[in-house]
Coordinates of all heavy atoms in Angstrom, one line a residue:
M47 N -4.4 14.9 9.3 CA -3.6 13.7 9.1 C -2.9 13.3 7.8 O -3.6 13.4 6.8 CB -4.6 12.5 9.5 CG -3.9 11.1 9.8 SD -2.8 11.0 11.1 CE -4.1 10.8 12.4
V48 N -1.7 13.1 7.8 CA -1.0 12.8 6.5 C -0.7 11.3 6.5 O -0.1 10.9 7.5 CB 0.2 13.6 6.3 CG1 1.0 13.2 5.0 CG2 -0.2 15.0 6.2
L49 N -1.0 10.6 5.5 CA -0.6 9.2 5.4 C 0.3 9.0 4.4 O 0.1 9.4 3.2 CB -1.9 8.3 5.2 CG -1.6 6.8 5.0 CD1 -1.3 6.2 6.3 CD2 -3.0 6.1 4.5
R50 N 1.4 8.4 4.8 CA 2.5 8.0 3.8 C 2.6 6.6 3.6 O 2.7 5.8 4.6 CB 3.8 8.7 4.0 CG 3.7 10.2 3.9 CD 5.0 10.9 3.5 NE 5.8 10.4 2.3 CZ 5.6 10.9 1.1 NH1 4.8 11.9 0.9 NH2 6.3 10.3 0.2
V51 N 2.7 6.1 2.4 CA 2.9 4.5 2.3 C 4.3 4.2 1.8 O 4.9 4.9 0.9 CB 1.9 4.1 1.2 CG1 1.8 2.6 1.0 CG2 0.5 4.6 1.5
E52 N 4.8 3.1 2.4 CA 6.1 2.8 2.0 C 6.0 1.2 1.8 O 5.4 0.5 2.5 CB 7.2 3.1 3.1 CG 8.6 2.7 2.7 CD 9.5 2.9 3.9 OE1 9.0 3.5 5.0 OE2 10.6 2.5 4.0
I53 N 6.7 0.8 0.7 CA 6.8 -0.6 0.4 C 8.1 -1.3 0.8 O 9.1 -0.7 0.3 CB 6.5 -0.9 -1.0 CG1 5.0 -0.4 -1.5 CG2 6.6 -2.5 -1.5 CD1 4.0 -1.1 -0.9
D54 N 8.0 -2.3 1.5 CA 9.4 -3.1 1.6 C 9.3 -4.1 0.6 O 8.9 -5.3 0.8 CB 9.3 -3.8 3.0 CG 10.5 -4.4 3.5 OD1 11.4 -4.5 2.5 OD2 10.8 -4.8 4.6
E55 N 9.8 -3.8 -0.6 CA 9.6 -4.6 -1.8 C 10.3 -6.0 -1.7 O 9.6 -7.0 -2.1 CB 10.2 -3.9 -3.0 CG 9.8 -4.5 -4.3 CD 10.3 -3.8 -5.5 OE1 10.1 -2.6 -5.7 OE2 11.1 -4.5 -6.3
P56 N 11.4 -6.2 -1.1 CA 11.9 -7.6 -0.9 C 11.0 -8.5 -0.2 O 11.2 -9.8 -0.4 CB 13.2 -7.4 -0.2 CG 13.6 -6.0 -0.5 CD 12.4 -5.2 -0.6
R57 N 10.1 -8.0 0.6 CA 9.2 -8.9 1.3 C 8.0 -9.3 0.7 O 7.4 -10.3 1.0 CB 8.7 -8.1 2.7 CG 9.9 -7.8 3.7 CD 9.3 -7.1 4.8 NE 8.6 -8.0 5.7 CZ 8.6 -7.7 7.0 NH1 9.2 -6.8 7.6 NH2 8.0 -8.6 7.9
C58 N 7.6 -8.6 -0.5 CA 6.5 -8.9 -1.3 C 6.5 -10.2 -1.8 O 7.4 -10.5 -2.5 CB 6.3 -7.7 -2.2 SG 4.8 -8.0 -3.4
V59 N 5.6 -11.0 -1.5 CA 5.2 -12.4 -2.2 C 4.3 -12.3 -3.3 O 3.8 -13.4 -3.6 CB 5.0 -13.3 -1.1 CG1 6.1 -13.5 -0.1 CG2 3.7 -13.0 -0.3
A60 N 3.9 -11.1 -3.8 CA 3.1 -11.0 -5.0 C 1.6 -11.6 -4.8 O 1.1 -12.2 -5.6 CB 3.8 -11.6 -6.2
A61 N 1.2 -11.5 -3.6 CA -0.2 -12.2 -3.2 C -1.2 -11.3 -3.9 O -2.4 -11.8 -4.1 CB -0.4 -12.2 -1.8
G62 N -1.1 -10.0 -4.1 CA -2.1 -9.1 -4.7 C -3.2 -8.6 -4.0 O -4.2 -8.0 -4.4
H63 N -3.2 -9.0 -2.6 CA -4.3 -8.5 -1.7 C -4.5 -7.0 -1.8 O -5.5 -6.4 -1.7 CB -4.2 -9.1 -0.4 CG -4.2 -10.5 -0.4 ND1 -5.1 -11.3 -1.1 CD2 -3.5 -11.3 0.4 CE1 -4.9 -12.6 -0.8 NE2 -3.8 -12.5 0.0
C64 N -3.3 -6.4 -1.8 CA -3.3 -4.9 -1.8 C -4.0 -4.4 -2.9 O -4.7 -3.3 -2.8 CB -1.9 -4.4 -1.7 SG -0.8 -5.0 -3.0
V65 N -3.8 -4.9 -4.1 CA -4.4 -4.3 -5.3 C -5.9 -4.5 -5.3 O -6.7 -3.7 -5.6 CB -3.8 -5.1 -6.6 CG1 -4.5 -4.6 -7.8 CG2 -2.4 -4.8 -6.6
T66 N -6.3 -5.6 -4.7 CA -7.8 -5.8 -4.6 C -8.4 -4.9 -3.7 O -9.4 -4.4 -3.8 CB -8.1 -7.3 -4.1 OG1 -7.4 -8.3 -4.9 CG2 -9.6 -7.5 -3.8
A67 N -7.6 -4.6 -2.5 CA -8.2 -3.7 -1.4 C -8.1 -2.2 -2.0 O -9.1 -1.3 -1.6 CB -7.3 -3.9 -0.2
A68 N -7.1 -1.8 -2.6 CA -6.9 -0.4 -2.9 C -6.3 -0.2 -4.3 O -5.1 0.1 -4.5 CB -6.1 0.3 -1.9
P69 N -7.0 -0.4 -5.3 CA -6.5 -0.5 -6.7 C -6.0 0.8 -7.2 O -5.3 0.9 -8.1 CB -7.7 -1.0 -7.5 CG -8.9 -0.8 -6.7 CD -8.5 -0.8 -5.2
E70 N -6.5 1.9 -6.5 CA -5.9 3.3 -6.9 C -4.6 3.5 -6.4 O -3.9 4.5 -6.8 CB -6.9 4.4 -6.4 CG -8.4 4.3 -6.8 CD -8.4 4.5 -8.3 OE1 -7.8 5.5 -8.8 OE2 -9.2 3.8 -8.9
V71 N -4.1 2.7 -5.4 CA -2.8 3.0 -4.7 C -1.8 1.9 -5.0 O -0.6 2.1 -5.1 CB -3.2 3.0 -3.3 CG1 -1.8 3.4 -2.5 CG2 -4.1 4.3 -2.9
F72 N -2.3 0.7 -5.3 CA -1.3 -0.4 -5.6 C -1.6 -1.0 -6.8 O -2.8 -1.1 -7.3 CB -1.5 -1.5 -4.4 CG -1.2 -1.0 -3.0 CD1 -2.3 -0.6 -2.2 CD2 0.0 -0.7 -2.6 CE1 -2.0 -0.3 -1.0 CE2 0.2 -0.1 -1.3 CZ -0.8 0.0 -0.4
D73 N -0.5 -1.6 -7.5 CA -0.7 -2.2 -8.7 C 0.4 -3.4 -8.6 O 1.2 -3.4 -7.6 CB -0.4 -1.4 -10.0 CG -0.9 -2.1 -11.2 OD1 -1.3 -3.2 -11.3 OD2 -0.9 -1.4 -12.4
Q74 N 0.5 -4.3 -9.6 CA 1.4 -5.3 -9.5 C 2.2 -5.3 -10.8 O 1.6 -5.2 -11.9 CB 0.7 -6.7 -9.3 CG 0.2 -7.0 -8.0 CD -0.4 -8.3 -7.8 OE1 -1.6 -8.4 -8.2 NE2 0.2 -9.3 -7.3
R75 N 3.6 -5.6 -10.7 CA 4.3 -5.7 -11.9 C 3.9 -6.8 -12.8 O 3.7 -7.8 -12.3 CB 5.8 -5.9 -11.5 CG 6.8 -5.1 -12.3 CD 8.1 -4.8 -11.5 NE 8.6 -5.9 -10.8 CZ 9.5 -5.8 -9.8 NH1 9.9 -4.5 -9.3 NH2 10.1 -6.8 -9.2
D76 N 3.8 -6.6 -14.2 CA 3.4 -7.6 -15.0 C 4.4 -8.9 -14.9 O 3.8 -10.1 -14.9 CB 3.3 -7.1 -16.4 CG 2.1 -6.2 -16.6 OD1 1.1 -6.3 -15.8 OD2 2.1 -5.4 -17.6
S77 N 5.6 -8.6 -14.8 CA 6.5 -9.5 -15.0 C 6.6 -10.6 -13.8 O 6.7 -11.9 -13.9 CB 7.9 -9.1 -15.1 OG 8.2 -8.1 -14.1
D78 N 6.5 -10.1 -12.6 CA 6.6 -11.0 -11.4 C 5.5 -10.8 -10.4 O 5.6 -11.5 -9.4 CB 8.0 -11.0 -10.9 CG 8.3 -9.5 -10.4 OD1 7.5 -8.6 -10.4 OD2 9.4 -9.3 -10.1
G79 N 4.5 -9.9 -10.6 CA 3.5 -9.7 -9.7 C 3.8 -8.9 -8.4 O 3.1 -8.7 -7.5
V80 N 5.1 -8.5 -8.3 CA 5.5 -7.6 -7.1 C 4.7 -6.4 -7.1 O 4.6 -5.9 -8.2 CB 7.0 -7.5 -7.1 CG1 7.5 -6.5 -6.1 CG2 7.7 -8.7 -6.8
V81 N 4.4 -5.8 -6.0 CA 3.7 -4.7 -5.9 C 4.3 -3.4 -6.5 O 5.6 -3.3 -6.4 CB 3.4 -4.4 -4.4 CG1 4.6 -4.0 -3.5 CG2 2.3 -3.4 -4.2
V82 N 3.7 -2.6 -7.2 CA 4.0 -1.2 -7.6 C 3.2 -0.2 -6.8 O 2.0 -0.3 -6.8 CB 3.7 -1.1 -9.0 CG1 4.1 0.2 -9.6 CG2 4.6 -2.1 -9.9
L83 N 3.8 0.6 -6.2 CA 3.1 1.7 -5.5 C 2.8 2.9 -6.4 O 3.7 3.5 -7.2 CB 4.0 2.3 -4.3 CG 3.5 3.3 -3.4 CD1 2.2 2.8 -2.7 CD2 4.5 3.8 -2.3
L84 N 1.5 3.1 -6.5 CA 1.0 4.1 -7.4 C 1.0 5.5 -6.7 O 1.0 6.6 -7.4 CB -0.4 3.7 -8.0 CG -0.4 2.5 -8.8 CD1 -1.9 2.2 -9.3 CD2 0.4 2.5 -10.0
D85 N 0.8 5.5 -5.5 CA 0.5 6.8 -4.8 C 1.0 6.6 -3.3 O 0.3 6.0 -2.4 CB -1.0 7.1 -4.8 CG -1.3 8.6 -4.3 OD1 -0.3 9.2 -3.8 OD2 -2.4 9.0 -4.4
A86 N 2.2 7.3 -3.1 CA 2.8 7.2 -1.8 C 2.1 8.1 -0.8 O 2.5 8.0 0.4 CB 4.2 7.5 -1.9
A87 N 1.4 9.0 -1.2 CA 0.6 9.8 -0.3 C -0.9 9.9 -0.7 O -1.3 10.9 -1.2 CB 1.2 11.3 -0.3
P88 N -1.5 8.9 -0.4 CA -3.0 8.8 -0.9 C -3.9 9.9 -0.3 O -3.6 10.2 0.9 CB -3.5 7.3 -0.6 CG -2.4 7.0 0.5 CD -1.2 7.7 0.3
P89 N -4.8 10.3 -1.0 CA -5.9 11.3 -0.4 C -6.6 10.5 0.6 O -6.8 9.4 0.8 CB -6.6 11.6 -1.7 CG -6.6 10.4 -2.6 CD -5.3 9.9 -2.3
A90 N -7.5 11.5 1.3 CA -8.2 11.0 2.5 C -9.1 9.8 2.2 O -9.4 8.9 3.0 CB -9.0 12.2 3.2
G91 N -9.8 10.0 0.9 CA -10.7 9.0 0.6 C -10.2 7.5 0.3 O -11.0 6.6 0.2
E92 N -8.9 7.3 0.2 CA -8.3 6.1 0.0 C -7.8 5.6 1.3 O -7.3 4.4 1.3 CB -7.2 6.3 -0.9 CG -7.6 6.5 -2.3 CD -8.2 5.4 -3.1 OE1 -7.9 4.3 -2.7 OE2 -9.3 5.6 -3.8
R93 N -7.7 6.2 2.4 CA -7.0 5.9 3.5 C -7.5 4.6 4.1 O -6.7 3.7 4.6 CB -6.8 7.0 4.5 CG -5.9 8.0 4.0 CD -5.9 9.2 4.9 NE -5.1 10.3 4.2 CZ -5.3 11.6 4.6 NH1 -6.0 12.0 5.6 NH2 -4.7 12.6 3.9
E94 N -8.7 4.5 4.3 CA -9.2 3.2 4.8 C -8.9 2.0 4.0 O -8.6 1.0 4.6 CB -10.7 3.4 5.1 CG -11.3 4.1 6.3 CD -10.4 3.6 7.6 OE1 -10.4 2.4 7.9 OE2 -9.7 4.5 8.3
R95 N -9.0 2.2 2.7 CA -8.7 1.1 1.8 C -7.2 0.7 2.0 O -6.9 -0.5 1.8 CB -9.0 1.4 0.5 CG -10.5 1.4 0.0 CD -10.9 1.5 -1.4 NE -10.9 2.8 -1.7 CZ -11.9 3.6 -1.8 NH1 -13.0 3.2 -1.2 NH2 -11.9 4.9 -2.2
V96 N -6.3 1.8 2.0 CA -4.9 1.4 2.3 C -4.6 0.9 3.5 O -3.7 -0.2 3.7 CB -4.2 2.8 2.1 CG1 -2.6 2.7 2.4 CG2 -4.3 3.4 0.8
R97 N -5.2 1.1 4.5 CA -5.1 0.5 5.9 C -5.5 -1.0 5.8 O -4.8 -1.8 6.4 CB -5.9 1.2 7.0 CG -5.3 2.5 7.5 CD -5.9 3.1 8.8 NE -5.4 4.3 8.9 CZ -6.1 5.5 8.7 NH1 -7.3 5.4 8.0 NH2 -5.6 6.7 8.8
E98 N -6.6 -1.2 5.1 CA -7.1 -2.5 5.0 C -6.0 -3.3 4.2 O -5.7 -4.5 4.5 CB -8.4 -2.5 4.1 CG -9.0 -4.0 4.2 CD -10.3 -4.0 3.3 OE1 -10.9 -2.9 3.0 OE2 -10.7 -5.1 2.9
A99 N -5.5 -2.8 3.1 CA -4.5 -3.4 2.2 C -3.2 -3.8 3.2 O -2.8 -5.0 3.1 CB -4.0 -2.5 1.1
A100 N -2.8 -3.0 4.1 CA -1.7 -3.2 5.0 C -2.1 -4.3 5.8 O -1.2 -5.2 6.1 CB -1.3 -1.9 5.7
L101 N -3.3 -4.3 6.3 CA -3.6 -5.6 7.3 C -3.8 -6.8 6.6 O -3.5 -7.8 7.1 CB -5.0 -5.2 7.8 CG -5.0 -4.1 9.0 CD1 -6.6 -3.7 9.4 CD2 -4.3 -4.5 10.1
L102 N -4.2 -6.7 5.3 CA -4.3 -8.0 4.5 C -3.0 -8.5 3.9 O -2.9 -9.8 3.7 CB -5.3 -7.7 3.3 CG -6.8 -7.5 3.6 CD1 -7.4 -7.1 2.4 CD2 -7.4 -8.7 4.1
C103 N -2.0 -7.8 3.8 CA -0.8 -8.2 3.2 C -0.1 -9.4 3.9 O 0.1 -9.0 5.2 CB 0.2 -7.1 3.0 SG 1.9 -7.6 2.4
P104 N 0.0 -10.6 3.4 CA 0.6 -11.6 4.2 C 2.0 -11.5 4.6 O 2.5 -12.1 5.4 CB 0.2 -12.8 3.4 CG 0.3 -12.3 2.0 CD -0.3 -10.9 2.1
A105 N 2.7 -10.6 3.9 CA 4.2 -10.4 4.0 C 4.6 -9.1 4.9 O 5.6 -9.0 5.1 CB 4.8 -10.3 2.7
A106 N 3.5 -8.5 5.2 CA 3.7 -7.2 6.1 C 4.7 -6.3 5.3 O 5.6 -5.7 5.9 CB 4.1 -7.4 7.5
A107 N 4.5 -6.3 4.0 CA 5.4 -5.4 3.2 C 4.9 -4.1 3.0 O 5.6 -3.2 2.4 CB 5.5 -6.1 1.8
I108 N 3.6 -3.7 3.4 CA 3.1 -2.3 3.3 C 3.4 -1.7 4.7 O 2.7 -2.0 5.7 CB 1.6 -2.4 3.0 CG1 1.6 -3.1 1.5 CG2 1.1 -1.0 2.8 CD1 0.1 -3.4 1.2
L109 N 4.0 -0.7 4.6 CA 4.4 0.2 6.0 C 3.7 1.6 5.7 O 3.9 2.2 4.8 CB 5.9 0.4 6.0 CG 6.8 -0.9 5.8 CD1 8.2 -0.4 5.9 CD2 6.5 -1.9 6.9
L110 N 3.0 1.9 6.8 CA 2.3 3.1 6.9 C 2.8 4.0 7.9 O 3.1 3.7 9.1 CB 0.7 2.7 7.2 CG 0.0 2.0 6.2 CD1 -1.5 1.8 6.6 CD2 0.2 2.3 4.8
H111 N 2.8 5.3 7.6 CA 3.4 6.2 8.4 C 2.3 7.4 8.5 O 2.0 8.1 7.6 CB 4.7 6.9 7.8 CG 5.7 5.8 7.6 ND1 6.4 5.2 8.5 CD2 6.2 5.3 6.4 CE1 7.4 4.3 8.0 NE2 7.2 4.5 6.6
E112 N 1.8 7.5 9.7 CA 0.8 8.6 9.8 C 1.3 9.7 10.8 O 1.9 9.4 11.8 CB -0.5 8.0 10.4 CG -1.1 6.9 9.6 CD -2.4 6.5 10.1 OE1 -3.4 7.2 10.2 OE2 -2.5 5.3 10.3
R113 N 1.0 11.0 10.3 CA 1.4 12.0 11.3 C 0.3 13.1 11.1 O -0.4 13.2 10.2 CB 2.7 12.6 11.1 CG 2.9 13.2 9.7 CD 4.3 13.7 9.5 NE 4.6 14.0 8.2 CZ 4.2 15.2 7.6 NH1 3.5 16.0 8.2 NH2 4.6 15.4 6.3
D114 N 0.2 14.0 12.0 CA -0.7 15.1 12.0 C -0.2 16.1 11.0 O 0.9 16.2 10.9 CB -0.9 15.8 13.4 CG -1.6 14.7 14.4 OD1 -2.4 13.9 13.9 OD2 -1.4 14.9 15.6
G115 N -1.1 16.8 10.5 CA -0.8 17.9 9.5 C -1.7 17.8 8.3 O -2.5 16.9 8.3
A116 N -1.5 18.8 7.5 CA -2.3 18.9 6.3 C -2.0 17.9 5.3 O -0.8 17.4 5.2 CB -2.2 20.3 5.7
Ligands
SF4_266 S1 -0.5 -7.8 -0.6 FE1 1.8 -7.6 0.1 S2 2.7 -9.4 -0.6 FE2 0.7 -9.1 -1.8 S3 1.3 -7.8 -3.6 FE3 0.5 -6.5 -2.0 S4 2.5 -5.9 -1.0 FE4 3.0 -7.8 -2.1

């Protein structure tokens, strides 16, 4: 399973829940708090946290694409 993360940046309301859920994958810009994607293809160990981040995001700004494969 390959997980790819995409951010719909204009939707981000800088709530920061993603950073709390998965700090290895998401950060926030210092200037305005908008999300910064650190890893668009997170390793297996991060996937549950990334899914949680997507669920917690109040703006639905985190898009996940999953497909089979290495
Ligand atoms: S949880 Fe959503 S709205 Fe909040 S900073 Fe992350 S992407 Fe932006």
Side-chain angles (χ1 to χ4, degrees):
M47 183 72 77
V48 177
L49 178 67
R50 293 206 53 92
V51 183
E52 185 186 348
I53 297 294
D54 188 351
E55 192 180 302
R57 295 179 78 147
C58 177
V59 295
H63 300 317
C64 54
V65 181
T66 303
E70 301 292 320
V71 178
F72 303 101
D73 199 356
Q74 283 179 282
R75 213 154 55 198
D76 288 340
S77 56
D78 57 8
V80 166
V81 66
V82 175
L83 182 60
L84 302 176
D85 189 352
E92 287 294 324
R93 286 175 196 160
E94 278 310 307
R95 284 188 278 273
V96 171
R97 286 192 190 95
E98 189 184 344
L101 287 173
L102 290 172
C103 177
I108 300 170
L109 311 175
L110 302 184
H111 308 283
E112 295 185 66
R113 62 175 170 80
D114 291 333

